[in-house]
Amino acid sequence: MAGEKERPGRVLVGGVAVDPLTERQVVEHVDGELEAGRGGRIVTPNVDICRAVEKDDKLRHLVNSADLVVADGMPLVWAARLLGTPIPERVTGADLIWSLSKLAARRGWPIYLLGGPPGAAVAAARELTACYPKLQVCGVDAPPFRFENGNGARERVRRRVVGAGPRLVFVGLGFPRQDRLIVRLSEDLPGSWFVGCGSAIAFAAGTVPRAPGWMQGAGLEWAFRLATEPGRLARRYLIDDLPFAARLLGGCLRKRASSGSGRTTGE
């Protein structure tokens, strides 16, 4: 589709074209682009996002047209390895909100926090500045659910962000709402970087706990989140995402086996 980022080296997995970058490389890329006065947007697809884009070309374009697309979910990392096009590591919005804020504090670039449950953005700003005292948080906002359906509310959110003049904006409204808003805001702030970060603001605030590191590395963060928020996440994880992840990995295994068989036959 026209307008998508045809960057060499992207890995096609789960219907999205992923940049095979480490978290450090993402931070270095954003640093260089902001130093040069160029903005951009980051999408962090997980299994749920891949499932959403599977049969929706517009959503797939929304993801693949981003300047950076990094794998938030471990199943994407596993699938890429099975396909023989490995992704070096999982890069989550929940981690980027810290590493990019550290960069912003060092460079003197103001950040903006948009999204999360009531009070989370304020609490996240407090936690981030406690960790990085030189960090400038130029604005926080937690618009009400479905605010984008009203022109007045959407315009107020836009004016607040643009008026604050941030260089980095973390938008935690859930896919695809956050990413559609980011596309609109990036038109007004072409020299800023935007991160669609899902629950990262709530994680940074401490209002939603993150899984222990070993569970994250083992691809079990979903199980931890399911245990802490069963009412909200049970259907999404158990009925929608797990079958999709199994189908994704199974398809990659079959493709790998087929490719291996073909090579053997042709020798």
Side-chain angles (χ1 to χ4, degrees):
M1 185 178 293
E4 293 193 2
K5 304 293 180 180
E6 300 294 342
R7 183 175 296 108
R10 277 191 164 180
V11 174
L12 184 62
V13 56
V16 300
V18 178
D19 291 294
L21 300 174
T22 64
E23 182 182 352
R24 179 176 179 178
Q25 289 172 325
V26 171
V27 173
E28 290 173 348
H29 180 84
V30 173
D31 187 16
E33 292 295 286
L34 281 173
E35 278 286 284
R38 294 187 293 266
R41 59 187 181 95
I42 300 175
V43 177
T44 59
N46 54 18
V47 166
D48 199 56
I49 290 176
C50 290
R51 182 178 58 81
V53 308
E54 184 181 31
K55 297 180 180 180
D56 192 318
D57 289 340
K58 290 183 178 179
L59 291 183
R60 185 180 303 112
H61 173 67
L62 183 64
V63 173
N64 291 341
S65 62
D67 297 88
L68 288 181
V69 180
V70 291
D72 185 294
M74 279 304 297
L76 275 70
V77 176
W78 296 332
R81 290 174 183 168
L82 288 173
L83 292 172
T85 52
I87 296 169
E89 65 183 26
R90 180 185 182 214
V91 182
T92 72
D95 292 321
L96 286 174
I97 196 172
W98 291 96
S99 54
L100 288 174
S101 290
K102 181 179 181 179
L103 169 68
R106 189 173 76 247
R107 293 292 197 184
W109 293 328
I111 73 167
Y112 196 102
L113 302 175
L114 175 61
V122 173
R126 184 169 58 246
E127 294 296 325
L128 289 166
T129 52
C131 188
Y132 309 120
K134 293 184 178 180
L135 181 65
Q136 303 172 41
V137 181
C138 64
V140 298
D141 195 5
F145 186 61
R146 298 198 185 281
F147 76 95
E148 70 276 9
N149 293 339
N151 290 331
R154 185 172 64 243
E155 179 60 20
R156 282 194 296 274
V157 169
R158 188 195 68 82
R159 285 200 307 267
R160 288 171 183 165
V161 178
V162 174
R167 299 299 305 281
L168 276 162
V169 185
F170 298 95
V171 187
L173 298 170
F175 181 85
R177 296 167 62 229
Q178 63 192 17
D179 304 276
R180 287 171 174 156
L181 178 62
I182 284 171
V183 170
R184 176 67 182 88
L185 291 172
S186 63
E187 296 172 357
D188 296 306
L189 294 168
S192 301
W193 271 79
F194 296 82
V195 185
C197 61
S199 298
I201 293 174
F203 286 142
T207 57
V208 175
R210 282 201 79 184
W214 71 268
M215 293 189 77
Q216 296 179 41
L220 294 173
E221 188 166 12
W222 66 271
F224 181 88
R225 293 198 63 195
L226 177 61
T228 56
E229 300 181 84
R232 188 173 74 87
L233 297 175
R235 178 177 179 83
R236 170 181 157 184
Y237 284 170
L238 299 178
I239 298 177
D240 297 330
D241 289 354
L242 275 179
F244 177 87
R247 182 158 48 88
L248 170 65
L249 294 171
C252 292
L253 276 172
R254 288 191 295 274
K255 187 173 182 179
R256 179 171 180 171
S258 176
S259 298
S261 174
R263 284 196 298 270
T264 302
T265 302
E267 287 179 351

